[in-house]
Amino acid sequence: MEIADYIVADDQTLVSRVLEGDDCAFEYLFNRYRDAISRLFLQRLGASSSSPADADDLLQETLIKVYVNLHRYSPRYTFGQWLYTIARNTFIDYVRRRQEDMPLDDRFFAPVSSAPTPEESVINLQQRTQIEHYLSLLTPRYRRLFELRFYEECSYEEIAVKLNLPLGTVKTGIHRLREQMCRLITEGENR
């Protein structure tokens, strides 16, 4: 596709292109919502001095979750609704990890999950293959952090205990892991 085609393509077309292996389409798709999601995180985090850094971490985590789970997206919902649901859930997880009592808006609805169709199973396998490829480019340490954080959905504290590492080391490692995975996903095979 030409750059202009990506720009004018609707979300459904870009999702289909990503599921076919076009990582450039994912970059354009996610960039459409990047600023709005970032503002959402900043607004909910308040005016604390760490808000921009936390919002960036949450945005990166959302990017990875969207990419890893794109095969689960259902066209019954707009892509924006689905993406915001993931962002909302990422924020809820963040709040739970921090044990803060922050009000959450109930405007977002999670899609009802159902058993995958055979086509979804094939797409899932393709997506998993891409993720495995990207993981193979990481060091074993970062691969393990990825598995614990995104596959097993462990909290930072749980990862620190499992790997016998200081909490700060785990947080730094996951931050660097997110940056590397985001770079791999958005750059795709252009590396």
Side-chain angles (χ1 to χ4, degrees):
M1 282 179 76
E2 297 292 321
I3 292 175
D5 295 331
Y6 287 111
I7 293 170
V8 298
D10 64 16
D11 290 350
Q12 300 297 331
T13 301
L14 291 176
V15 167
S16 296
R17 299 280 307 168
V18 174
L19 293 174
E20 293 169 0
D22 185 347
D23 290 328
C24 191
F26 182 76
E27 183 178 356
Y28 280 91
L29 182 63
F30 194 79
N31 282 340
R32 287 182 180 175
Y33 297 93
R34 178 185 303 270
D35 292 341
I37 294 169
S38 186
R39 281 191 305 272
L40 175 74
F41 289 143
L42 283 169
Q43 177 186 13
R44 290 183 180 217
L45 288 167
S48 70
S49 61
S50 66
S51 289
D54 289 341
D56 186 50
D57 286 349
L58 289 167
L59 183 66
Q60 290 176 7
E61 193 165 331
T62 300
L63 170 95
I64 292 169
K65 286 180 179 180
V66 167
Y67 189 80
V68 169
N69 294 294
L70 192 60
H71 65 279
R72 294 182 179 166
Y73 166 68
S74 169
R76 290 182 296 166
Y77 304 91
T78 67
F79 182 77
Q81 287 174 316
W82 184 75
L83 178 66
Y84 282 111
T85 298
I86 291 175
R88 176 188 164 267
N89 290 340
T90 300
F91 185 77
I92 290 170
D93 291 343
Y94 169 83
V95 170
R96 285 185 185 145
R97 287 191 306 262
R98 303 300 184 274
Q99 296 181 345
E100 295 176 357
D101 185 16
M102 297 181 78
L104 297 175
D105 200 303
D106 294 326
R107 290 181 287 170
F108 304 99
F109 300 99
V112 177
S113 66
S114 60
T117 65
E119 181 181 87
E120 290 171 333
S121 296
V122 170
I123 290 169
N124 184 16
L125 180 60
Q126 289 173 340
Q127 196 79 2
R128 178 69 180 210
T129 302
Q130 285 179 307
I131 292 295
E132 292 299 329
H133 170 71
Y134 295 142
L135 286 175
S136 72
L137 301 175
L138 299 175
T139 64
R141 176 177 174 229
Y142 284 138
R143 275 195 302 274
R144 183 66 181 136
L145 284 173
F146 184 92
E147 290 165 357
L148 289 170
R149 182 72 187 117
F150 297 102
Y151 288 155
E152 297 178 27
E153 297 183 357
C154 294
S155 68
Y156 292 161
E157 292 80 8
E158 291 169 329
I159 295 170
V161 169
K162 285 184 179 191
L163 298 180
N164 196 26
L165 293 171
L167 184 59
T169 302
V170 170
K171 288 180 180 181
T172 301
I174 290 175
H175 178 77
R176 290 179 181 158
L177 161 67
R178 282 190 199 123
E179 288 177 338
Q180 285 184 19
M181 282 301 285
C182 289
R183 194 170 31 257
L184 288 170
I185 290 168
T186 56
E187 292 175 4
E189 296 303 317
N190 297 330
R191 287 179 47 87

